[in-house]
Amino acid sequence: MLKTEIAELINKDGLMFDIAQKVTYNRNLNAEEKEIYDICDAWVREIAETGNDRDCDIAAFIRRTITDEIYNAPDELLDEIFDRGTVDEFDDYQVFKTPKNTLQAYDAAIGGNVDKSYIDFEYLKPTWKHAQVEFELPYIEMRRNGFKSVALLTNYAVEALRNKQFYDIFTIVDNAIVGDEQAIVETGTTPSQTSMDKLSLYLLDRSTSPIAVCLSKYAQAIGRMTGYAQYMSEEMKNNFNRYGLVNFYDGVRIASISGAKKLVSGEKLLPDKKIFGIAGKIGTLDQKGNIRVYQTMDNNVEKVHVKVTGFQYGFAITDIEKVAKITLA
């Protein structure tokens, strides 16, 4: 009976993960969620007592959760920057790069000819990345904390995969900007109104709804720039006083990334001392294949070994001209 209930719960979109998040972060459960939690808790404790999960339901739960949260759930920021899609595991493709307009108009006699202009048509292959997570789930933790032990590590796996993808994307974007108007250098540890004005002008020339992406400490520093307060509405001032972060600057939306979020290596999700401005979609971002989760019950050491693999993502930057950055030197 318990196994049938668990199989039904796993197949319900995001239900067990919603409860897993509430349990992980100590949020209150309603009566229905408490009943589901009790079923999940009994399921995990039974596996820990018997050392048997014949149909690999733990792996099924983790796989369904990661698929729902990373593959199927919208990501507002990445959706604004890239055209998103999916391809089969063994497929590849090329992306058409919008060429620069190099057509030149000449003064000409009626019926005459002028020099030809040439367009550089270019196709790009995506850069493919494959992220993988492996961990152990001790039986003693499953007996002690029940479903919460599985929920915690599932949350961590989702965060680790998302964080690596975000870090990889912005590292490539950072390296692709090399100079000219796109690379604004600010002498100092915080942005100035001069550098922010250069960034906003560059973006507004190319989009009516650009965004700037930066660590939260720079979103805070922008609101405290000398002379900026006079351009803030009362609502903007109230929001800044309440939350400490700026949401807009001169028509550019500010998307702040928490500096507390890091890879295990200690790297922040966004390169430090950088503010990125993005004027519309700059390329493609696709997921390849499906996530796979393998589990091995090791009763000799009383642990479940879990391997999360198959998280492949490819991105191709076709319009780097739509991106500019401030570098704090």
Side-chain angles (χ1 to χ4, degrees):
M1 180 67 177
L2 180 60
K3 183 165 183 56
T4 301
E5 290 175 312
I6 289 298
E8 291 175 353
L9 291 173
I10 289 174
N11 286 325
K12 291 185 178 180
D13 292 345
L15 178 63
M16 287 178 70
F17 184 65
D18 289 343
I19 295 172
Q21 283 195 310
K22 288 187 175 182
V23 169
T24 300
Y25 299 111
N26 297 316
R27 298 170 188 159
N28 293 329
L29 302 176
N30 61 34
E32 181 183 3
E33 290 170 336
K34 181 66 168 65
E35 183 178 345
I36 293 172
Y37 171 74
D38 289 340
I39 294 171
C40 296
D41 200 55
W43 159 61
V44 172
R45 293 179 188 277
E46 180 180 286
I47 292 173
E49 287 293 338
T50 62
N52 180 34
D53 184 12
R54 185 185 62 187
D55 294 327
C56 298
D57 286 329
I58 290 176
F61 164 67
I62 296 172
R63 181 176 60 251
R64 179 61 190 266
T65 295
I66 293 176
T67 299
D68 285 346
E69 289 302 305
I70 299 182
Y71 282 68
N72 299 336
D75 185 309
E76 182 181 353
L77 181 56
L78 294 182
D79 289 348
E80 285 189 50
I81 299 173
F82 294 99
D83 289 316
R84 305 290 299 271
T86 58
V87 297
D88 290 336
E89 180 180 359
F90 304 107
D91 288 348
D92 206 345
Y93 64 95
Q94 291 183 323
V95 181
F96 175 64
K97 185 180 187 301
T98 305
K100 289 184 178 180
N101 183 0
T102 52
L103 299 182
Q104 184 170 348
Y106 296 89
D107 289 324
I110 295 175
N113 296 99
V114 297
D115 291 339
K116 288 181 183 178
S117 298
Y118 294 91
I119 296 290
D120 183 15
F121 294 99
E122 185 179 356
Y123 290 84
L124 303 176
K125 279 198 168 186
T127 298
W128 289 105
K129 296 281 188 176
H130 177 242
Q132 185 168 301
V133 175
E134 298 186 37
F135 57 87
E136 294 179 340
L137 184 57
Y139 293 176
I140 190 171
E141 289 299 319
M142 297 167 68
R143 293 196 301 272
R144 179 184 292 120
N145 293 311
F147 182 58
K148 188 173 182 177
S149 62
V150 178
L152 177 67
L153 292 181
T154 301
N155 270 286
Y156 283 177
V158 169
E159 289 178 8
L161 294 172
R162 271 183 171 162
N163 290 350
K164 187 178 187 309
Q165 182 185 50
F166 193 90
Y167 175 84
D168 286 344
I169 288 170
F170 273 90
T171 298
I172 293 290
V173 170
D174 186 25
N175 293 334
I177 303 170
V178 293
D180 298 326
E181 294 178 89
Q182 294 175 268
I184 302 164
V185 178
E186 171 69 57
T187 302
T189 58
T190 58
S192 68
Q193 194 168 340
T194 300
S195 60
M196 287 300 298
D197 284 349
K198 288 181 181 178
L199 181 68
S200 66
L201 179 60
Y202 184 92
L203 299 175
L204 291 168
D205 276 345
R206 292 160 176 81
S207 173
T208 56
S209 55
I211 59 174
V213 185
C214 62
L215 294 174
S216 53
K217 63 182 178 180
Y218 300 125
Q220 181 186 66
I222 291 169
R224 293 178 176 164
M225 290 186 309
T226 302
Y228 178 56
Q230 63 181 312
Y231 300 107
M232 297 172 70
S233 66
E234 288 304 314
E235 182 181 359
M236 290 172 68
K237 289 178 183 178
N238 290 335
N239 285 335
F240 181 70
N241 289 332
R242 178 177 297 177
Y243 303 111
L245 303 174
V246 168
N247 294 324
F248 280 91
Y249 179 89
D250 196 22
V252 178
R253 182 165 65 86
I254 307 294
S256 58
I257 306 299
S258 171
K261 291 185 176 181
K262 300 178 182 179
L263 303 182
V264 175
S265 62
E267 295 281 356
K268 292 180 172 63
L269 301 193
L270 205 64
D272 199 1
K273 299 183 179 180
K274 304 285 176 68
I275 298 174
F276 296 92
I278 303 168
K281 295 191 177 183
I282 63 172
T284 63
L285 172 61
D286 293 282
Q287 307 292 154
K288 178 182 278 194
N290 298 303
I291 200 78
R292 302 185 302 281
V293 182
Y294 304 114
Q295 74 176 73
T296 303
M297 307 295 295
D298 191 340
N299 291 339
N300 291 323
V301 294
E302 298 190 10
K303 292 178 180 178
V304 185
H305 300 270
V306 178
K307 176 179 179 178
V308 181
T309 189
F311 182 55
Q312 296 185 76
Y313 46 94
F315 41 90
I317 300 175
T318 57
D319 293 291
I320 194 61
E321 296 81 8
K322 292 181 179 179
V323 186
K325 69 180 178 182
I326 297 173
T327 301
L328 303 171

